Amino acid sequence: MSSLSLQASRIRQQLASDPHRPHYHFLPPANWMNDPNGLIHWRGQYHLFYQYNPAAPTWGNIHWGHAVSDDLVHWADLPIALAPTPGGPDKDGCWSGVAIDNGGVPTLLYTGVSPEVQCIATGSQDLVTWEKYSVNPVLASPPDHLDVVGFRDPCVWQDNGTWYMTLGTGIRGVGGAVLLYSSTDLRRWDYVSVLLSGDKNATGEMWECPSFFPLGDKYVLLISVLPRAGTYYFIGSFDGERFTPEHQGTLDFGVHFFAPQTFLDAAGRRIMIGWLWEGRSEEAQQSAGWAGVQSLPRQLTLYGSGRLGIEPVPELRTLRGEHSHQAGGALSPAADLDLRNVRGNCLEIIAEFEPGTAETVGLKVLCSPDGKEETWITYSPQTGQLAIDRSRSSISEDVHRNMNSGEMRLAEDETLKLHVFLDRSVIEIFANGRASLSSRVYPSRSDSVHTKLFARGGNANLRTLDAWVMQPIWK
Ligand code: DQQ
């Protein structure tokens, strides 16, 4: 083991007893992490770079952290990939960007601050050592004719020998937007167009971290909205200059999922990872010594008439430990069904319900025996709302309690299939392969490990439920 990984694993060990620290989601050994960056499947390994403050569990002093994985599940820490260069165009931070394969030369494009400019760095074949281009920045300012707020977060791809780059921005007074550039050599960039812009009253003043890619016979644009209010997707067509959305939706119904990036793996899967930010006070983050987690990798697909499918990658099954199965049965408002064999705070649960006449049906997780702490995952068949209710998740004063929800309608006779991952302070919920809701909760009691099923306002039916205790990804 190298001295770096020894040191990282020591720090991980020290923090491992923190009851809120996830066991099978990626996070750095300590301190602050935000956006995933530079996701790439390179020479058979998955690389994850990330926005990182190595000095404190608060945002600022932004470097690129780096981790590598053989299987998308277990990660090993690598040295910091990018650090601000004093006096350089990234002196105040190396902000978000991507990793690309430029004819065999690993290349990073990222935003240096301040002001926000685009920079480039090339790497060694193991992606561990990076050299910044001596004449950075490669793009110093937005087009003169646009009055923009923000100019950052390159997403770069090659098509027919031409490189394209999108940047997140906002047209002042109008709303969030994505700018499109092109280049033949990654170093000289020409402005092409406003790829898409939005209305500030509907989708915010600024769009961060645009991710633009083909999926099936369509194009997909992901954006993260500022002021921070979640992530949206658009599905549509692209004519080389403009993107015309045909369908749009909320990418994740929980507000904690932000700044996702995607990449294509060698098998041609479009895989997405997003940052799950904390839902507790800065003081609590300071005393924990860490903040920020990456979501589980999710595969994006197109289904039906151009809708977005979203599911956790199957590789996660390798973490499954002790299994329990619950046979089907009736659920009624008279009594919740306490799943005596499904206890813990590191679990995967797959449950299928017939909603019947119930107004709401779902699971209560991380429940204390006396019910003082519990988190409700609910579905309302009449309104199609999938929600998480965190109002009673913790008796601590210090946590976010608001409810998050989004609409996912079931077809007639379609059952509700919930796929839930609990990892201490992280909850990721997938529904029917086409909706996700990620959240953060901080139960304060060590006995908040019970799982129950409920129906309210009518009767529902559980078809079947399987649960597994999930293994940690670090030893
Ligand atoms: N985080 C980065 C920016 C990006 C924002 C800075 C999104 O590049 O716009 O840490 O969370």
mmCIF file of all heavy atoms in Angstrom, residues 209-244:
data_model
loop_
_atom_site.group_PDB
_atom_site.id
_atom_site.type_symbol
_atom_site.label_atom_id
_atom_site.label_comp_id
_atom_site.label_asym_id
_atom_site.label_seq_id
_atom_site.Cartn_x
_atom_site.Cartn_y
_atom_site.Cartn_z
ATOM 1 N N CYS A 209 -23.200 23.174 -14.461
ATOM 2 C CA CYS A 209 -22.846 21.801 -14.824
ATOM 3 C C CYS A 209 -23.745 21.176 -15.891
ATOM 4 O O CYS A 209 -24.307 20.095 -15.691
ATOM 5 C CB CYS A 209 -22.854 20.922 -13.571
ATOM 6 S SG CYS A 209 -21.693 21.494 -12.342
ATOM 7 N N PRO A 210 -23.879 21.828 -17.070
ATOM 8 C CA PRO A 210 -24.658 21.170 -18.116
ATOM 9 C C PRO A 210 -23.962 19.882 -18.547
ATOM 10 O O PRO A 210 -22.731 19.829 -18.615
ATOM 11 C CB PRO A 210 -24.656 22.194 -19.262
ATOM 12 C CG PRO A 210 -23.480 23.062 -19.016
ATOM 13 C CD PRO A 210 -23.272 23.096 -17.531
ATOM 14 N N SER A 211 -24.750 18.864 -18.800
ATOM 15 C CA SER A 211 -24.212 17.621 -19.336
ATOM 16 C C SER A 211 -25.062 17.298 -20.559
ATOM 17 O O SER A 211 -26.283 17.185 -20.449
ATOM 18 C CB SER A 211 -24.296 16.520 -18.269
ATOM 19 O OG SER A 211 -23.736 15.336 -18.754
ATOM 20 N N PHE A 212 -24.431 17.224 -21.727
ATOM 21 C CA PHE A 212 -25.176 17.095 -22.984
ATOM 22 C C PHE A 212 -24.647 15.883 -23.729
ATOM 23 O O PHE A 212 -23.439 15.767 -23.953
ATOM 24 C CB PHE A 212 -24.967 18.369 -23.816
ATOM 25 C CG PHE A 212 -25.836 18.456 -25.035
ATOM 26 C CD1 PHE A 212 -27.217 18.405 -24.930
ATOM 27 C CD2 PHE A 212 -25.272 18.591 -26.302
ATOM 28 C CE1 PHE A 212 -28.030 18.488 -26.059
ATOM 29 C CE2 PHE A 212 -26.074 18.682 -27.442
ATOM 30 C CZ PHE A 212 -27.455 18.632 -27.310
ATOM 31 N N PHE A 213 -25.532 14.968 -24.107
ATOM 32 C CA PHE A 213 -25.055 13.717 -24.711
ATOM 33 C C PHE A 213 -26.183 13.056 -25.499
ATOM 34 O O PHE A 213 -27.366 13.268 -25.218
ATOM 35 C CB PHE A 213 -24.568 12.766 -23.607
ATOM 36 C CG PHE A 213 -25.557 12.565 -22.485
ATOM 37 C CD1 PHE A 213 -26.502 11.562 -22.540
ATOM 38 C CD2 PHE A 213 -25.552 13.406 -21.375
ATOM 39 C CE1 PHE A 213 -27.422 11.387 -21.514
ATOM 40 C CE2 PHE A 213 -26.473 13.241 -20.346
ATOM 41 C CZ PHE A 213 -27.412 12.227 -20.419
ATOM 42 N N PRO A 214 -25.791 12.235 -26.491
ATOM 43 C CA PRO A 214 -26.812 11.469 -27.206
ATOM 44 C C PRO A 214 -27.251 10.265 -26.376
ATOM 45 O O PRO A 214 -26.448 9.687 -25.645
ATOM 46 C CB PRO A 214 -26.076 11.006 -28.471
ATOM 47 C CG PRO A 214 -24.627 11.091 -28.158
ATOM 48 C CD PRO A 214 -24.436 12.021 -27.015
ATOM 49 N N LEU A 215 -28.507 9.929 -26.482
ATOM 50 C CA LEU A 215 -29.038 8.740 -25.804
ATOM 51 C C LEU A 215 -30.074 8.142 -26.749
ATOM 52 O O LEU A 215 -31.075 8.805 -27.068
ATOM 53 C CB LEU A 215 -29.670 9.142 -24.467
ATOM 54 C CG LEU A 215 -30.026 8.006 -23.507
ATOM 55 C CD1 LEU A 215 -28.785 7.252 -23.017
ATOM 56 C CD2 LEU A 215 -30.792 8.554 -22.285
ATOM 57 N N GLY A 216 -29.811 6.917 -27.212
ATOM 58 C CA GLY A 216 -30.678 6.343 -28.238
ATOM 59 C C GLY A 216 -30.677 7.272 -29.443
ATOM 60 O O GLY A 216 -29.633 7.769 -29.860
ATOM 61 N N ASP A 217 -31.860 7.577 -29.966
ATOM 62 C CA ASP A 217 -31.902 8.464 -31.136
ATOM 63 C C ASP A 217 -32.203 9.914 -30.743
ATOM 64 O O ASP A 217 -32.608 10.720 -31.562
ATOM 65 C CB ASP A 217 -32.933 7.948 -32.147
ATOM 66 C CG ASP A 217 -34.316 7.835 -31.529
ATOM 67 O OD1 ASP A 217 -34.446 8.052 -30.294
ATOM 68 O OD2 ASP A 217 -35.275 7.542 -32.261
ATOM 69 N N LYS A 218 -32.022 10.235 -29.468
ATOM 70 C CA LYS A 218 -32.292 11.603 -28.981
ATOM 71 C C LYS A 218 -31.028 12.197 -28.365
ATOM 72 O O LYS A 218 -30.034 11.509 -28.172
ATOM 73 C CB LYS A 218 -33.376 11.572 -27.892
ATOM 74 C CG LYS A 218 -34.674 10.938 -28.327
ATOM 75 C CD LYS A 218 -35.506 11.901 -29.120
ATOM 76 C CE LYS A 218 -36.813 11.253 -29.556
ATOM 77 N NZ LYS A 218 -37.527 12.035 -30.526
ATOM 78 N N TYR A 219 -31.134 13.469 -27.998
ATOM 79 C CA TYR A 219 -30.099 14.110 -27.182
ATOM 80 C C TYR A 219 -30.700 14.449 -25.828
ATOM 81 O O TYR A 219 -31.901 14.731 -25.717
ATOM 82 C CB TYR A 219 -29.578 15.383 -27.851
ATOM 83 C CG TYR A 219 -28.417 15.088 -28.777
ATOM 84 C CD1 TYR A 219 -28.641 14.571 -30.044
ATOM 85 C CD2 TYR A 219 -27.104 15.286 -28.349
ATOM 86 C CE1 TYR A 219 -27.572 14.279 -30.883
ATOM 87 C CE2 TYR A 219 -26.035 14.991 -29.184
ATOM 88 C CZ TYR A 219 -26.272 14.490 -30.445
ATOM 89 O OH TYR A 219 -25.217 14.189 -31.255
ATOM 90 N N VAL A 220 -29.853 14.420 -24.817
ATOM 91 C CA VAL A 220 -30.312 14.731 -23.456
ATOM 92 C C VAL A 220 -29.440 15.843 -22.896
ATOM 93 O O VAL A 220 -28.216 15.835 -23.061
ATOM 94 C CB VAL A 220 -30.209 13.477 -22.550
ATOM 95 C CG1 VAL A 220 -30.560 13.822 -21.110
ATOM 96 C CG2 VAL A 220 -31.119 12.370 -23.058
ATOM 97 N N LEU A 221 -30.084 16.807 -22.266
ATOM 98 C CA LEU A 221 -29.360 17.871 -21.559
ATOM 99 C C LEU A 221 -29.752 17.808 -20.084
ATOM 100 O O LEU A 221 -30.944 17.815 -19.756
ATOM 101 C CB LEU A 221 -29.741 19.245 -22.133
ATOM 102 C CG LEU A 221 -29.152 20.456 -21.406
ATOM 103 C CD1 LEU A 221 -27.627 20.516 -21.556
ATOM 104 C CD2 LEU A 221 -29.776 21.756 -21.918
ATOM 105 N N LEU A 222 -28.749 17.739 -19.209
ATOM 106 C CA LEU A 222 -28.986 17.813 -17.765
ATOM 107 C C LEU A 222 -28.476 19.166 -17.292
ATOM 108 O O LEU A 222 -27.389 19.595 -17.701
ATOM 109 C CB LEU A 222 -28.220 16.721 -17.014
ATOM 110 C CG LEU A 222 -28.327 15.286 -17.532
ATOM 111 C CD1 LEU A 222 -27.489 14.355 -16.654
ATOM 112 C CD2 LEU A 222 -29.776 14.828 -17.543
ATOM 113 N N ILE A 223 -29.224 19.820 -16.434
ATOM 114 C CA ILE A 223 -28.757 21.093 -15.874
ATOM 115 C C ILE A 223 -29.033 21.110 -14.369
ATOM 116 O O ILE A 223 -29.946 20.440 -13.881
ATOM 117 C CB ILE A 223 -29.471 22.305 -16.525
ATOM 118 C CG1 ILE A 223 -30.991 22.112 -16.510
ATOM 119 C CG2 ILE A 223 -28.971 22.526 -17.955
ATOM 120 C CD1 ILE A 223 -31.754 23.334 -16.211
ATOM 121 N N SER A 224 -28.227 21.875 -13.658
ATOM 122 C CA SER A 224 -28.417 22.062 -12.217
ATOM 123 C C SER A 224 -28.706 23.535 -11.994
ATOM 124 O O SER A 224 -27.957 24.394 -12.456
ATOM 125 C CB SER A 224 -27.157 21.635 -11.464
ATOM 126 O OG SER A 224 -26.950 20.252 -11.645
ATOM 127 N N VAL A 225 -29.774 23.795 -11.294
ATOM 128 C CA VAL A 225 -30.343 25.136 -11.256
ATOM 129 C C VAL A 225 -29.855 25.954 -10.062
ATOM 130 O O VAL A 225 -29.829 25.467 -8.939
ATOM 131 C CB VAL A 225 -31.890 25.016 -11.215
ATOM 132 C CG1 VAL A 225 -32.541 26.317 -10.828
ATOM 133 C CG2 VAL A 225 -32.402 24.546 -12.565
ATOM 134 N N LEU A 226 -29.457 27.191 -10.362
ATOM 135 C CA LEU A 226 -29.128 28.156 -9.300
ATOM 136 C C LEU A 226 -30.171 29.258 -9.298
ATOM 137 O O LEU A 226 -30.562 29.689 -10.397
ATOM 138 C CB LEU A 226 -27.773 28.804 -9.561
ATOM 139 C CG LEU A 226 -26.539 28.212 -8.911
ATOM 140 C CD1 LEU A 226 -25.385 29.202 -9.014
ATOM 141 C CD2 LEU A 226 -26.734 27.778 -7.482
ATOM 142 N N PRO A 227 -30.598 29.812 -8.155
ATOM 143 C CA PRO A 227 -30.307 29.346 -6.815
ATOM 144 C C PRO A 227 -30.622 27.854 -6.680
ATOM 145 O O PRO A 227 -31.592 27.379 -7.260
ATOM 146 C CB PRO A 227 -31.247 30.163 -5.937
ATOM 147 C CG PRO A 227 -31.685 31.307 -6.778
ATOM 148 C CD PRO A 227 -31.558 30.910 -8.197
ATOM 149 N N ARG A 228 -29.761 27.152 -5.882
ATOM 150 C CA ARG A 228 -29.757 25.702 -5.877
ATOM 151 C C ARG A 228 -31.137 25.098 -5.634
ATOM 152 O O ARG A 228 -31.690 25.192 -4.557
ATOM 153 C CB ARG A 228 -28.769 25.167 -4.839
ATOM 154 C CG ARG A 228 -28.267 23.793 -5.231
ATOM 155 C CD ARG A 228 -27.446 23.153 -4.150
ATOM 156 N NE ARG A 228 -26.181 23.812 -3.963
ATOM 157 C CZ ARG A 228 -25.482 23.706 -2.836
ATOM 158 N NH1 ARG A 228 -25.927 22.996 -1.836
ATOM 159 N NH2 ARG A 228 -24.333 24.318 -2.720
ATOM 160 N N ALA A 229 -31.701 24.563 -6.683
ATOM 161 C CA ALA A 229 -33.064 24.042 -6.592
ATOM 162 C C ALA A 229 -33.200 22.792 -7.432
ATOM 163 O O ALA A 229 -34.166 22.613 -8.158
ATOM 164 C CB ALA A 229 -34.051 25.100 -7.053
ATOM 165 N N GLY A 230 -32.210 21.929 -7.371
ATOM 166 C CA GLY A 230 -32.350 20.636 -8.013
ATOM 167 C C GLY A 230 -31.867 20.604 -9.452
ATOM 168 O O GLY A 230 -31.252 21.543 -9.963
ATOM 169 N N THR A 231 -32.155 19.488 -10.090
ATOM 170 C CA THR A 231 -31.624 19.197 -11.419
ATOM 171 C C THR A 231 -32.768 18.832 -12.360
ATOM 172 O O THR A 231 -33.723 18.177 -11.947
ATOM 173 C CB THR A 231 -30.653 17.998 -11.352
ATOM 174 O OG1 THR A 231 -31.285 16.955 -10.619
ATOM 175 C CG2 THR A 231 -29.370 18.366 -10.665
ATOM 176 N N TYR A 232 -32.629 19.266 -13.607
ATOM 177 C CA TYR A 232 -33.652 18.956 -14.620
ATOM 178 C C TYR A 232 -33.022 18.253 -15.795
ATOM 179 O O TYR A 232 -31.824 18.381 -16.041
ATOM 180 C CB TYR A 232 -34.311 20.238 -15.129
ATOM 181 C CG TYR A 232 -35.148 20.924 -14.102
ATOM 182 C CD1 TYR A 232 -34.596 21.887 -13.269
ATOM 183 C CD2 TYR A 232 -36.489 20.595 -13.932
ATOM 184 C CE1 TYR A 232 -35.360 22.512 -12.298
ATOM 185 C CE2 TYR A 232 -37.261 21.217 -12.970
ATOM 186 C CZ TYR A 232 -36.691 22.171 -12.155
ATOM 187 O OH TYR A 232 -37.436 22.769 -11.193
ATOM 188 N N TYR A 233 -33.854 17.522 -16.530
ATOM 189 C CA TYR A 233 -33.397 16.957 -17.802
ATOM 190 C C TYR A 233 -34.322 17.417 -18.916
ATOM 191 O O TYR A 233 -35.507 17.688 -18.692
ATOM 192 C CB TYR A 233 -33.330 15.421 -17.746
ATOM 193 C CG TYR A 233 -34.684 14.742 -17.651
ATOM 194 C CD1 TYR A 233 -35.426 14.438 -18.793
ATOM 195 C CD2 TYR A 233 -35.215 14.393 -16.416
ATOM 196 C CE1 TYR A 233 -36.663 13.808 -18.708
ATOM 197 C CE2 TYR A 233 -36.440 13.764 -16.321
ATOM 198 C CZ TYR A 233 -37.169 13.478 -17.476
ATOM 199 O OH TYR A 233 -38.391 12.874 -17.390
ATOM 200 N N PHE A 234 -33.737 17.515 -20.101
ATOM 201 C CA PHE A 234 -34.493 17.799 -21.321
ATOM 202 C C PHE A 234 -34.123 16.704 -22.320
ATOM 203 O O PHE A 234 -32.949 16.360 -22.446
ATOM 204 C CB PHE A 234 -34.097 19.142 -21.929
ATOM 205 C CG PHE A 234 -34.304 20.317 -20.998
ATOM 206 C CD1 PHE A 234 -33.292 20.720 -20.131
ATOM 207 C CD2 PHE A 234 -35.503 21.023 -20.990
ATOM 208 C CE1 PHE A 234 -33.468 21.801 -19.283
ATOM 209 C CE2 PHE A 234 -35.679 22.110 -20.150
ATOM 210 C CZ PHE A 234 -34.664 22.501 -19.297
ATOM 211 N N ILE A 235 -35.099 16.196 -23.027
ATOM 212 C CA ILE A 235 -34.846 15.205 -24.078
ATOM 213 C C ILE A 235 -35.345 15.806 -25.380
ATOM 214 O O ILE A 235 -36.456 16.350 -25.429
ATOM 215 C CB ILE A 235 -35.596 13.892 -23.784
ATOM 216 C CG1 ILE A 235 -35.128 13.318 -22.440
ATOM 217 C CG2 ILE A 235 -35.376 12.870 -24.901
ATOM 218 C CD1 ILE A 235 -35.851 12.063 -22.028
ATOM 219 N N GLY A 236 -34.524 15.740 -26.424
ATOM 220 C CA GLY A 236 -34.974 16.340 -27.675
ATOM 221 C C GLY A 236 -34.022 16.088 -28.806
ATOM 222 O O GLY A 236 -33.299 15.081 -28.819
ATOM 223 N N SER A 237 -33.997 17.034 -29.746
ATOM 224 C CA SER A 237 -33.153 16.846 -30.926
ATOM 225 C C SER A 237 -32.144 17.996 -31.011
ATOM 226 O O SER A 237 -32.375 19.101 -30.504
ATOM 227 C CB SER A 237 -34.013 16.793 -32.186
ATOM 228 O OG SER A 237 -34.752 17.987 -32.283
ATOM 229 N N PHE A 238 -31.032 17.718 -31.696
ATOM 230 C CA PHE A 238 -29.914 18.658 -31.776
ATOM 231 C C PHE A 238 -29.517 18.775 -33.234
ATOM 232 O O PHE A 238 -29.250 17.765 -33.896
ATOM 233 C CB PHE A 238 -28.757 18.097 -30.930
ATOM 234 C CG PHE A 238 -27.494 18.890 -30.993
ATOM 235 C CD1 PHE A 238 -27.498 20.268 -30.794
ATOM 236 C CD2 PHE A 238 -26.275 18.253 -31.234
ATOM 237 C CE1 PHE A 238 -26.312 20.990 -30.842
ATOM 238 C CE2 PHE A 238 -25.089 18.970 -31.271
ATOM 239 C CZ PHE A 238 -25.117 20.346 -31.081
ATOM 240 N N ASP A 239 -29.484 20.027 -33.756
ATOM 241 C CA ASP A 239 -29.159 20.201 -35.180
ATOM 242 C C ASP A 239 -27.722 20.684 -35.392
ATOM 243 O O ASP A 239 -27.379 21.178 -36.458
ATOM 244 C CB ASP A 239 -30.160 21.167 -35.835
ATOM 245 C CG ASP A 239 -30.032 22.588 -35.267
ATOM 246 O OD1 ASP A 239 -29.092 22.835 -34.466
ATOM 247 O OD2 ASP A 239 -30.854 23.444 -35.620
ATOM 248 N N GLY A 240 -26.896 20.573 -34.362
ATOM 249 C CA GLY A 240 -25.514 21.034 -34.484
ATOM 250 C C GLY A 240 -25.316 22.431 -33.899
ATOM 251 O O GLY A 240 -24.207 22.849 -33.621
ATOM 252 N N GLU A 241 -26.424 23.164 -33.712
ATOM 253 C CA GLU A 241 -26.363 24.501 -33.112
ATOM 254 C C GLU A 241 -27.345 24.646 -31.965
ATOM 255 O O GLU A 241 -27.043 25.189 -30.925
ATOM 256 C CB GLU A 241 -26.694 25.575 -34.161
ATOM 257 C CG GLU A 241 -25.576 25.820 -35.123
ATOM 258 C CD GLU A 241 -25.797 27.069 -35.949
ATOM 259 O OE1 GLU A 241 -26.674 27.892 -35.613
ATOM 260 O OE2 GLU A 241 -25.084 27.218 -36.953
ATOM 261 N N ARG A 242 -28.536 24.197 -32.220
ATOM 262 C CA ARG A 242 -29.582 24.377 -31.226
ATOM 263 C C ARG A 242 -30.179 23.043 -30.812
ATOM 264 O O ARG A 242 -30.267 22.113 -31.627
ATOM 265 C CB ARG A 242 -30.692 25.271 -31.772
ATOM 266 C CG ARG A 242 -30.593 26.679 -31.217
ATOM 267 C CD ARG A 242 -31.417 27.659 -31.988
ATOM 268 N NE ARG A 242 -30.564 28.610 -32.689
ATOM 269 C CZ ARG A 242 -29.827 29.532 -32.095
ATOM 270 N NH1 ARG A 242 -29.849 29.665 -30.785
ATOM 271 N NH2 ARG A 242 -29.055 30.336 -32.790
ATOM 272 N N PHE A 243 -30.581 23.030 -29.564
ATOM 273 C CA PHE A 243 -31.210 21.843 -29.003
ATOM 274 C C PHE A 243 -32.690 22.151 -28.841
ATOM 275 O O PHE A 243 -33.054 23.187 -28.266
ATOM 276 C CB PHE A 243 -30.542 21.548 -27.655
ATOM 277 C CG PHE A 243 -31.201 20.471 -26.851
ATOM 278 C CD1 PHE A 243 -31.304 19.176 -27.338
ATOM 279 C CD2 PHE A 243 -31.701 20.752 -25.588
ATOM 280 C CE1 PHE A 243 -31.896 18.184 -26.579
ATOM 281 C CE2 PHE A 243 -32.292 19.769 -24.828
ATOM 282 C CZ PHE A 243 -32.387 18.479 -25.322
ATOM 283 N N THR A 244 -33.540 21.285 -29.367
ATOM 284 C CA THR A 244 -34.982 21.511 -29.252
ATOM 285 C C THR A 244 -35.583 20.444 -28.337
ATOM 286 O O THR A 244 -35.701 19.279 -28.731
ATOM 287 C CB THR A 244 -35.654 21.418 -30.643
ATOM 288 O OG1 THR A 244 -34.932 22.268 -31.529
ATOM 289 C CG2 THR A 244 -37.111 21.844 -30.589
#
